[in-house]
Amino acid sequence: MEREVLRLENLQKSFGSVQALKGASLTLQEGEVVALLGDNGAGKSTLIKAISGVHPSDGGAIYVRGDKASIRSARDAMDLGIETIHQDTSLAPDLSIARNLFLGREPVKLGWLGVFAPIDFGELRHVAAALLKRVGISKKLDADALVSTLSGGERQSIAISRAMQFAAKVIILDEPTNNLGVEETHGVLRFVRDMRDAGHSVLFITHNIHHVFEVCDRLVVMRRGEVVAEKTVAETDLLTVEGIIMGVDIKALLKDAKAH
């Protein structure tokens, strides 16, 4: 029996005179990967920022495991078990890879010392190395290297690794394969499957529809701040989805073009 993990009801958000969300609703079940699709300006980023507390919504409701939630900050979202990896990855460039993988949740020695407990750097490096290997970073990176020395793709992989370390109830991935090489992209898609198999729920925002058919169970399409379609991946195809995103029937257009 499926269990609902996240439900958004009639979310609304405006920035001045621009209404970015016009009553958007969707659900996410336990152990489900849902793709959130739409052209630039469709409202996808605003929707996930409302869920993650970056831009709290103006109206509507968010339910986490059936309970109405108040998400007014990123900390609120994390406390509810929602981890978001934004396009800019939100890493601290002047800290090491290992420190970025934990950011405030570092393993410590002598835990009874509380806030004065020293960081266990040996454990930090060990876990960091294992995570980097699992996510498929193509070259060996030193866990002590500063994030500022990494490429965009490597930074994205570090952010993915962090979500793996603190696998939340809901993981939101915003264009996670952007700027990644082939091996790193496969690592991300493998991570998505692993999270689903472990019972976690993933909201997967992407412009690459091929990836949707590789790892997603269901897809939701937004246009102009609203959800305009919702389908299981098994019941649709790439051309149909592209048509919904653009608001046209591509198959009919192709058929008409052939007729002429």
Side-chain angles (χ1 to χ4, degrees), residues 180-229:
L180 297 190
V182 173
E183 188 177 351
E184 291 167 344
T185 295
H186 285 315
V188 170
L189 298 179
R190 186 171 62 247
F191 156 66
V192 173
R193 294 189 196 98
D194 288 349
M195 289 299 97
R196 176 178 57 197
D197 292 346
H200 300 281
S201 307
V202 180
L203 190 58
F204 186 53
I205 295 87
T206 183
H207 277 97
N208 191 320
I209 300 178
H210 293 284
H211 293 166
V212 173
F213 284 88
E214 284 189 58
V215 299
C216 297
D217 303 298
R218 197 157 48 88
L219 60 90
V220 171
V221 181
M222 293 187 71
R223 204 182 312 133
R224 294 188 292 275
E226 299 176 288
V227 172
V228 295

Side-chain angles (χ1 to χ4, degrees), residues 145-165:
L146 297 182
V147 162
S148 58
T149 65
L150 307 180
S151 69
E154 288 164 348
R155 293 187 194 202
Q156 186 73 295
S157 293
I158 301 305
I160 296 284
S161 300
R162 188 169 65 195
M164 291 173 71
Q165 174 65 7

Side-chain angles (χ1 to χ4, degrees), residues 4-9 11 57 59-72 80 82:
E4 183 183 271
V5 177
L6 180 71
R7 183 164 89 252
L8 314 179
E9 286 188 353
L11 287 195
S57 61
I62 299 175
Y63 295 85
V64 178
R65 293 201 181 277
D67 296 325
K68 192 171 183 179
S70 175
I71 302 178
R72 314 305 296 175
L80 288 164
I82 300 170

Side-chain angles (χ1 to χ4, degrees), residues 130-146:
L131 282 170
L132 294 176
K133 184 177 180 181
R134 184 179 170 195
V135 83
I137 286 186
S138 53
K139 69 176 184 180
K140 186 167 175 59
L141 292 174
D142 183 353
D144 290 326
L146 297 182

Side-chain angles (χ1 to χ4, degrees), residues 37 209 212-213 219 231-244 249-251:
L37 306 173
I209 300 178
V212 173
F213 284 88
L219 60 90
K231 292 180 177 290
T232 63
V233 169
E235 70 177 340
T236 190
D237 58 72
L238 194 139
L239 276 182
T240 300
V241 174
E242 287 184 334
I244 295 170
D249 188 336
I250 293 179
K251 287 183 178 177

Side-chain angles (χ1 to χ4, degrees), residues 84-92 147 152 155-157 159 162:
T84 304
I85 300 173
H86 298 287
Q87 283 176 301
D88 58 11
T89 70
S90 304
L91 298 179
V147 162
R155 293 187 194 202
Q156 186 73 295
S157 293
R162 188 169 65 195

